[in-house]
């Protein structure tokens, strides 16, 4: 078991290394760099810039060096000093800007996962046990509907409905008076009041997918011979269901964490922009538009790191849940 | 054995009918079955696949898979205290039937791997029985489970209790199943093909164990099987089923020695037919001993990546027109060896010298891709599973014509050849445009044979080619193979775990055990006077289809021969 975890941890290192390269490369993909964007901005406002100024700035930001040197400097800063570089646009170290938002991002992702799992399992079970019943057909219809609706559309519709018909403030994770206030009971209640809508919007697509997976897994398990064996023991139908087929159907569900987590994170980024949540989403969008490379790169890198860790956790959970994997 | 007359009646089944409503109509899986079962008696329910024997067994516990339902009849269970319950009238999800399941009537199943949960510990699954029926507290449960595991002769029961099923061998798993079934001291044990998935030596041990436990506990046993040999070894009473109906029932001696029903006679006949050498072979002249070998295998070795030596220094000779049997139990390496001959698996050492029709000799083990391709036209394979070895999306004509197309034959010519081939293996050429699913198991195996002989091979490697077939079809298929051998001058390498099949069709036999060949010789000689102890153990573990000559009790055991 310990060997298994160590092995998985060892795999994490090259994965993260590859992710960092890809993240850096993606940011370099569009033509030009932060300064070209900046110049274009200035030019559109009527300002003329001398070529010498641009060259001087490029040198100051290190943008005149080859890409691999820039990457090396960035990586060296992260690994040796925990220094993720400076945001060009905001003129601040990236570290100062992101931690708070990253925290909210992951809180939101975590809450979404809890929401998704807590609902997907019972609905999936019901759908499988009552296969081809009204319950099953309704669950199936809803699942396909929400799978098909893009989450940003859902976010817009939800916000519209909630504010027009219920007159509630939408957007953000807090009411105006609590945004900069220290944590208190009131702020917590306000947070709970706000957070459920984004959680619902981000999670519903994954929820639909998980319901389908749970249903399919369970249908497979229900016809397995060990279920008949348990029935022949004289076990009651409900105990039998929970103890055997459901328990076994959960195993593949655990491994879905590996792709549900990235889905939730990317959904969160898009939905956050629409609902203006104080998470990494809006910040990342702005950084990408401005080609603010260190900020964008760091965000992508950290989101990926946390996703890889999430996948690692799902691997470990699966090993705990399934002895067959543990003993391999 | 005492007759049933002086024993108490335990279960009386009358006119049982279990139906499966499907979209195309009602399938009458059990159609008016009646029988009596007495305390301490063994009733064997025998029949070929689809006869409804398994559904009958499951109907007794009301655990028939959906959409199956008991639609009529009665099943009166008499308890030792004299009370009687009609099981057929109980609600299949109700408390009353649950109290009978496991407590009064316990059941064991065919596939001991999938019949136990892979992720729950063995002890937990066994202990459940006690918790459900007696509410036994945990420490006592554990004590009792260890006792049961010891009872079924599982070594180191104290540690075995905390292990998972995949850590056990097939025989051990079936022992666990039996121990579990015995947990509540049931009056009746239903065993649904409990030894079909096991090797013969393991089967012999499980049968002996069930017999022993039956004598100790005074249980009645209802034993479902398709193997007449097993029936002859253990049955007191026999129920012969065909298409959901009882064809004949009676004491085992009467069924074997004086069968009344035509179907029973056919069934017994096809079993007895396989006890001897095939008639076709009797008429043949013996294969010339001095003929130059078609295939000469020397020091063949195959090691898997994990370091397992599946084939270990094997040497074989096969002459033109000869049938060589390779017999062995699961894990003996016989299938791996067969695949090495065609380089499906890469042998890790040794020579496979093949003599071409023109007399030139080529080493298959060292052949390059091009040579290999031409060799694979000379040496063909027939597989065990007639269902999965045919592509379901191709018509029969396409399947049989495929090797012909690969050898560059034109379309017109191919069509004519396919029709010839189908007629040759006993299939109607008019069926050529049908897909494999439209054919029965036996017909599918004929398609496989037609595909194998399409390019006029000189050697066919048949891997358990008749194992998936019912016994009545088995001898037909073997006769077909022998007939083709005469027509096409084929040599066969016949891989099987079934000695009776080997005895029927093979001129010579090689016995494999743990990757090595322990004995080779003319079939007659090896089966009559085995020299190696393993061969003796293997032969004596085979159930003999004669209730007057029960041999399993006196069988010879080979140290380390069995996995249980």
């Amino acid at each position: 078991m310990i060997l298994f975890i160590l092995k998985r941890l060892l795999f994490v290192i090259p994965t993260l290394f590859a992710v960092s390269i890809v993240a850096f490369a993606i940011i370099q993909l569009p033509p030009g760099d932060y300064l070209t964007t900046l110049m274009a901005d200035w030019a559109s406002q009527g300002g003329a810039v001398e070529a010498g100024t641009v060259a001087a700035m490029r040198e100051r930001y290190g943008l005149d060096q080859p890409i691999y040197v820039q990457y090396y400097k960035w990586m060296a800063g992260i690994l040796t000093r925990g220094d993720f570089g400076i945001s060009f646009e905001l003129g601040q170290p990236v570290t100062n800007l992101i931690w708070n938002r990253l925290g909210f991002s992951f809180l939101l992702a975590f809450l979404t996962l809890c929401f998704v799992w807590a609902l997907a399992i019972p609905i999936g079970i019901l759908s499988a046990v009552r296969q081809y019943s009204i319950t099953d057909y309704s669950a199936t219809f809803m699942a396909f509907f929400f799978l098909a609706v893009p989450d940003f559309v859902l976010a817009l519709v939800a916000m519209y409905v909630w504010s027009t018909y219920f007159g509630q403030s939408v957007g953000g994770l807090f009411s105006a008076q609590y945004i900069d206030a220290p944590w208190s009971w009131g702020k917590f209640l306000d947070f709970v009041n706000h957070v459920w809508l984004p959680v619902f919007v981000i999670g519903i697509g994954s929820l639909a997918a998980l319901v389908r997976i749970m249903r399919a897994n369970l249908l497979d398990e229900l016809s397995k011979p060990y279920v008949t064996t348990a029935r022949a023991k004289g076990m009651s139908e409900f105990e039998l269901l929970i103890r055997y087929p459901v328990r076994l159907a959960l195993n593949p569900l655990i491994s879905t964490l590996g792709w549900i987590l990235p889905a939730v994170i990317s959904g969160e980024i898009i939905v956050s922009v629409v609902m203006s949540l104080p998470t990494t989403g809006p910040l990342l969008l702005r950084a990408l538009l401005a080609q603010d490379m260190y900020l964008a790169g760091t965000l992508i890198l950290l989101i990926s790191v946390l996703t890889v860790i999430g996948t690692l956790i799902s691997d470990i959970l699966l090993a705990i849940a399934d002895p067959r994997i543990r003993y391999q | 054995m005492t007759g049933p007359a002086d024993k108490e009646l335990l279960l009386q089944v009358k006119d049982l009918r279990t139906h499966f409503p499907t979209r195309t109509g009602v399938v009458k899986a059990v159609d008016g079955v009646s029988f009596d079962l007495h305390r301490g008696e063994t009733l064997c329910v025998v029949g070929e696949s689809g006869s409804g024997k398994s559904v009958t067994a499951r109907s007794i516990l009301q655990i028939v898979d959906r959409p199956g339902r008991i639609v009529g009849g009665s099943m009166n269970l008499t308890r030792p205290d004299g009370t009687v319950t009609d099981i057929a009238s109980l609600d299949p999800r109700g408390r009353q039937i649950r109290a009978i399941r496991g407590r009064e009537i316990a059941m064991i199943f065919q596939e001991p791997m999938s019949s136990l949960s892979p992720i729950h510990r063995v002890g937990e699954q066994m202990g459940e029985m006690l918790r459900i029926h007696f509410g036994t507290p945990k420490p006592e449960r554990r004590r009792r489970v260890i006792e049961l595991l010891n009872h079924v002769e599982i070594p180191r029961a104290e540690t075995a209790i905390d292990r998972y099923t995949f850590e056990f061998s097939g025989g051990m798993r079936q022992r666990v199943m039996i121990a579990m079934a015995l947990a509540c001291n049931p009056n009746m044990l239903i065993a649904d093909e409990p030894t079909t998935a096991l090797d013969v030596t393991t089967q012999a041990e499980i049968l002996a164990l069930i017999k022993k436990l039956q004598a100790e506990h005074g249980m009645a046993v209802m034993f479902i099987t398709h193997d007449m040999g097993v029936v002859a070894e253990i049955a007191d009473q026999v129920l012969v089923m065909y298409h959901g109906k009882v064809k004949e029932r009676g004491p085992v001696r009467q069924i074997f020695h004086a069968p009344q029903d035509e179907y029973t006679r056919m069934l017994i006949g096809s079993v007895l037919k396989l006890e001897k050498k095939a008639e076709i072979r009797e008429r043949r002249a013996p294969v010339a001993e001095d003929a130059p070998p078609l295939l000469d295998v020397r020091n063949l070795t195959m090691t898997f990546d994990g370091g397992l030596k599946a084939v270990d220094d094997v040497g074989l000779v096969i002459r033109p027109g000869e049938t060589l049997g390779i017999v062995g139990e699961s894990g003996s390496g016989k299938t791996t060896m067969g695949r090495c001959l065609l380089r499906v698996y890469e042998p890790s050492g040794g020579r496979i010298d093949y003599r071409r029709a023109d007399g030139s000799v080529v080493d298959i083990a060292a052949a390059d891709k091009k040579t290999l391709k031409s060799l694979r036209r000379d040496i063909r394979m027939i597989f065990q599973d007639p269902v999965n070895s045919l592509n379901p999306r191709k018509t029969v004509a396409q399947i049989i014509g495929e090797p012909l197309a690969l050898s560059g034959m034109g379309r017109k010519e191919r069509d004519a050849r396919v029709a010839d081939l189908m007629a040759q293996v006993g299939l109607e050429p008019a069926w050529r445009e049908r897909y494999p699913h439209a054919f029965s198991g036996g017909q599918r195996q004929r398609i496989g044979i037609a595909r194998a002989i399409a390019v006029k091979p000189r050697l066919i490697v048949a891997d358990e080619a008749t194992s998936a077939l019912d016994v009545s079809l088995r001898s037909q298929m073997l006769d077909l193979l022998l007939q083709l051998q005469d027509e096409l001058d084929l040599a066969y390498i016949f891989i099987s775990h079934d000695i009776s099949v080997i005895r029927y069709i093979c001129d010579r036999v090689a016995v494999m055990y743990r990757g090595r060949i322990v004995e080779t010789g003319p079939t007659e000689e090896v089966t009559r006077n085995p020299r190696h102890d393993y061969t003796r153990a293997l032969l004596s573990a085979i159930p003999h289809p004669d209730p007057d000559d029960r041999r399993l009790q006196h069988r010879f055991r080979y140290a380390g021969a069995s996995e249980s």
Side-chain angles (χ1 to χ4, degrees):
Chain A
M1 182 70 191
I2 290 174
L3 197 76
F4 172 83
I5 295 176
L6 283 178
K7 238 195 227 161
R8 288 292 144 129
L9 276 172
L10 219 66
F11 279 124
V12 164
I13 296 167
T15 313
L16 288 182
F17 188 65
V19 161
S20 73
I21 292 176
V22 172
F24 202 77
I26 288 174
I27 296 156
Q28 302 288 347
L29 273 184
D33 52 27
Y34 170 64
L35 287 178
T36 20
T37 319
L38 193 68
M39 290 312 123
D41 261 11
W42 282 355
S44 70
Q45 286 157 19
V49 195
E50 283 172 42
T53 325
V54 178
M57 283 177 81
R58 190 158 275 155
E59 204 185 327
R60 208 174 82 214
Y61 286 136
L63 292 175
D64 55 339
Q65 285 158 330
I67 288 175
Y68 57 88
V69 175
Q70 294 183 37
Y71 173 75
Y72 172 76
K73 282 189 173 169
W74 185 52
M75 263 342 257
I78 294 171
L79 291 176
T80 52
R81 287 166 274 132
D83 176 9
F84 288 87
I86 287 174
S87 161
F88 301 143
E89 195 184 14
L90 303 170
Q92 284 189 49
V94 169
T95 335
N96 294 357
L97 293 166
I98 57 170
W99 288 120
N100 196 22
R101 282 172 173 266
L102 213 56
F104 274 121
S105 269
F106 276 86
L107 181 62
L108 207 55
F110 178 72
L111 289 175
T112 309
L113 282 179
C114 292
F115 160 75
V116 165
W117 276 62
L119 279 181
I121 294 170
I123 298 176
I125 293 175
L126 208 64
S127 202
V129 172
R130 306 240 176 282
Q131 193 189 9
Y132 303 139
S133 66
I134 297 286
T135 325
D136 182 28
Y137 282 127
S138 335
T140 304
F141 174 77
M142 295 294 273
F144 281 122
F145 178 77
F146 283 117
L147 267 175
V149 177
D151 39 17
F152 63 91
V153 174
L154 196 66
L156 286 174
V157 173
M159 282 164 73
Y160 175 78
V161 170
W162 199 244
S163 63
T164 317
Y165 295 98
F166 298 94
Q168 298 284 322
S169 84
V170 287
L173 285 176
F174 300 101
S175 306
Q177 71 268 30
Y178 283 115
I179 286 178
D180 289 320
W183 279 99
S184 63
W185 185 241
K187 182 167 176 171
F188 176 72
L189 286 183
D190 185 62
F191 172 71
V192 172
N193 241 330
H194 278 83
V195 82
W196 70 267
L197 196 63
V199 162
F200 173 81
V201 171
I202 300 166
I204 195 81
S206 304
L207 171 65
L210 277 190
V211 165
R212 296 302 296 166
I213 293 172
M214 183 68 197
R215 177 181 182 273
N217 286 344
L218 190 55
L219 281 176
D220 280 350
E221 296 297 329
L222 280 175
S223 56
K224 291 270 174 76
Y226 66 81
V227 178
T228 312
T229 308
R231 193 168 286 137
K233 283 179 190 171
M235 197 180 264
S236 76
E237 289 292 318
F238 182 74
E239 186 188 350
L240 181 139
L241 178 72
I242 300 299
R243 202 175 273 272
Y244 288 104
V246 167
R247 173 66 186 72
L248 271 104
L250 283 181
N251 289 349
L253 211 62
I254 292 173
S255 47
T256 60
L257 194 64
W259 61 262
I260 287 285
L261 193 61
V264 165
I265 300 275
S266 63
E268 182 266 325
I269 289 171
I270 295 165
V271 170
S272 296
V273 172
V274 178
M275 299 180 100
S276 62
L277 306 179
T279 62
T280 48
L283 193 65
L284 179 61
L285 181 70
R286 214 167 76 190
L288 285 174
L289 286 176
Q291 293 196 314
D292 191 351
M293 53 183 262
Y294 290 123
L295 181 55
T298 304
L299 282 171
I300 293 177
L301 181 65
L302 284 178
I303 288 168
S304 309
V305 166
L306 288 164
T307 311
V308 170
I309 290 173
T311 315
L312 178 71
I313 291 173
S314 93
D315 279 352
I316 293 171
L317 279 178
L318 192 61
I320 291 172
D322 195 333
R324 286 168 297 183
I325 288 169
R326 201 156 68 225
Y327 281 68
Q328 253 172 22
Chain B
M1 287 286 143
T2 42
D6 51 359
K7 294 203 174 174
E8 315 161 54
L9 188 65
L10 178 71
L11 182 74
Q12 185 169 45
V13 176
K14 267 191 186 154
D15 196 28
L16 178 69
R17 278 170 290 133
T18 305
H19 291 181
F20 285 74
T22 64
R23 258 182 295 182
T24 49
V26 174
V27 177
K28 295 175 178 171
V30 180
D31 194 11
V33 166
S34 305
F35 62 89
D36 296 343
L37 182 62
H38 297 85
R39 217 167 283 283
E41 183 181 77
T42 303
L43 170 74
C44 277
V45 182
V46 68
E48 305 193 318
S49 47
S51 62
K53 53 191 192 299
S54 204
V55 179
T56 306
R58 280 156 203 243
S59 298
I60 294 174
L61 284 181
Q62 294 230 23
I63 52 170
V64 183
D65 286 329
R66 280 190 297 185
R69 212 163 54 84
I70 298 174
V71 293
S74 67
M75 295 184 282
N76 286 319
L77 177 72
T78 312
R79 300 202 171 79
D81 62 6
T83 55
V84 177
T85 310
D86 178 10
I87 301 176
S89 69
L90 301 177
D91 168 16
R93 298 171 75 94
R95 195 176 291 275
Q96 271 179 301
I97 183 77
R98 293 209 314 262
I100 292 173
R101 290 178 191 156
R103 169 80 187 84
E104 292 180 80
I105 305 174
M107 187 158 176
I108 56 178
F109 299 88
Q110 174 173 353
E111 233 326 306
M113 177 79 216
S114 48
S115 296
L116 289 167
S117 158
I119 63 166
H120 294 85
R121 289 172 202 278
V122 164
E124 195 186 329
Q125 296 186 62
M126 290 177 62
E128 256 170 10
M129 207 80 149
L130 297 162
R131 179 176 56 76
I132 296 166
H133 293 292
F134 302 126
T136 317
K138 212 168 180 181
E140 202 192 319
R141 219 150 70 202
R142 191 176 169 85
R143 201 182 47 73
R144 173 87 176 116
V145 168
I146 292 178
E147 199 179 293
L148 285 163
L149 287 172
N150 276 322
H151 204 58
V152 294
E153 295 152 22
I154 284 187
R156 291 177 301 282
E158 293 76 14
T159 50
I161 185 174
D162 290 321
R163 296 173 73 181
Y164 295 95
T165 48
F166 56 83
E167 298 176 81
F168 290 99
S169 66
M172 283 299 175
R173 282 182 212 132
Q174 201 54 287
R175 279 167 195 269
V176 168
M177 278 298 275
I178 293 172
M180 187 160 88
L182 292 176
C184 298
N185 277 320
N187 297 319
M188 175 178 168
L189 177 70
I190 303 175
D192 188 357
E193 304 249 14
T195 58
T196 306
L198 306 176
D199 280 325
V200 277
T201 47
T202 316
Q203 161 170 292
E205 275 166 20
I206 295 293
L207 291 179
L209 178 69
I210 292 177
K211 268 282 170 210
K212 183 188 114 190
L213 296 171
Q214 183 182 16
E216 284 172 16
H217 296 248
M219 280 182 308
V221 173
M222 180 174 168
F223 198 100
I224 322 291
T225 183
H226 66 278
D227 186 338
M228 292 307 277
V230 171
V231 176
E233 289 286 349
I234 64 165
D236 299 321
Q237 296 283 316
V238 180
L239 193 72
V240 181
M241 283 187 74
Y242 181 72
H243 277 244
K245 288 196 164 69
V246 175
K247 280 289 170 186
E248 185 166 359
R249 69 176 158 156
V252 62
R253 283 195 177 79
Q254 183 194 318
I255 296 287
F256 273 86
H257 297 320
Q260 305 297 309
D261 182 78
E262 204 176 311
Y263 175 75
T264 315
R265 273 205 291 273
M266 189 278 290
L267 203 60
I268 304 272
S270 43
V271 172
L272 293 179
K273 193 178 173 195
L274 284 179
E275 286 295 295
K276 324 186 276 280
K277 193 171 161 180
E279 283 165 24
I280 301 178
R281 282 179 50 222
E282 303 278 2
R283 295 195 297 268
R284 277 189 195 161
V287 177
E289 291 257 341
D290 49 355
L294 181 66
L295 198 70
D296 187 358
V297 180
R298 266 170 293 163
N299 310 105
L300 185 68
T301 304
M302 151 82 203
T303 314
F304 279 111
D305 285 344
L308 175 75
K309 235 183 193 174
V311 180
D312 189 4
D313 196 18
V314 162
L316 292 169
V317 169
I318 179 157
R319 298 195 166 77
E322 187 183 41
T323 306
L324 173 71
I326 310 281
V327 70
E329 297 185 285
S330 54
S332 62
K334 55 188 193 302
T335 294
T336 313
M337 200 273 294
R339 293 190 177 174
C340 282
L341 296 183
L342 277 115
R343 291 264 301 274
V344 178
Y345 292 150
E346 287 297 328
S348 24
R351 290 181 70 86
I352 308 170
D353 283 334
Y354 172 73
R355 184 179 298 270
R356 286 205 170 105
D358 59 11
S360 64
V361 173
V362 53
D363 178 12
I364 300 177
D368 57 25
K369 258 194 174 153
K370 200 164 142 259
T371 324
L372 209 54
K373 204 179 156 191
S374 72
L375 283 173
R376 283 183 180 152
R377 219 168 294 156
D378 278 6
I379 309 174
R380 308 284 303 167
M381 242 184 139
I382 302 175
F383 300 93
Q384 170 174 8
D385 189 337
V387 180
N388 291 325
S389 56
L390 302 178
N391 187 340
R393 285 185 186 78
K394 286 191 170 170
T395 63
V396 171
Q398 283 171 322
I399 290 170
I400 299 175
E402 196 169 25
L404 297 172
L406 286 176
S407 68
M409 191 184 274
R411 197 184 170 81
K412 272 251 171 64
E413 205 183 338
R414 207 161 69 216
D415 281 355
R417 176 95 178 105
V418 166
D420 284 351
L421 284 165
M422 287 183 76
Q424 198 166 16
V425 297
L427 292 170
E428 196 62 55
W431 297 339
R432 54 199 302 167
E433 291 310 312
R434 296 190 188 173
Y435 289 88
H437 67 82
F439 293 86
S440 70
Q443 288 170 333
R444 282 183 204 163
Q445 199 55 291
R446 283 171 194 268
I447 298 171
I449 292 171
R451 175 173 61 181
I453 60 169
V455 284
K456 301 197 174 130
R458 301 174 65 221
L459 173 65
I460 286 182
V461 179
D463 188 359
E464 301 275 7
T466 58
S467 304
L469 303 175
D470 279 325
V471 65
S472 57
L473 287 171
R474 207 172 287 166
S475 55
Q476 286 176 24
M477 207 58 63
L478 295 172
D479 284 342
L480 172 67
L481 287 173
L482 286 169
Q483 182 201 326
L484 291 171
Q485 186 166 39
D486 282 345
E487 289 171 20
L488 305 169
D489 194 26
L490 283 167
Y492 292 123
I493 293 182
F494 207 91
I495 300 168
S496 181
H497 69 279
D498 189 344
I499 287 271
S500 64
V501 168
I502 297 274
R503 194 164 39 204
Y504 189 76
I505 191 173
C506 296
D507 304 312
R508 285 191 307 120
V509 63
V511 183
M512 266 189 101
Y513 176 63
R514 296 199 177 159
R516 288 172 165 274
I517 288 187
V518 296
E519 183 165 358
T520 327
T523 312
E524 233 82 324
E525 209 175 295
V526 172
T527 50
R528 290 228 181 97
N529 301 308
R531 287 193 313 270
H532 195 274
D533 279 352
Y534 173 71
T535 319
R536 286 180 61 199
L538 189 66
L539 286 167
S540 70
I542 295 162
H544 184 52
D546 182 357
D548 290 332
D549 183 17
R550 294 189 168 173
R551 295 176 180 171
L552 287 191
Q553 289 101 316
H554 321 291
R555 70 197 175 83
F556 176 82
R557 288 167 196 244
Y558 176 57
S562 153
E563 51 176 350
S564 295

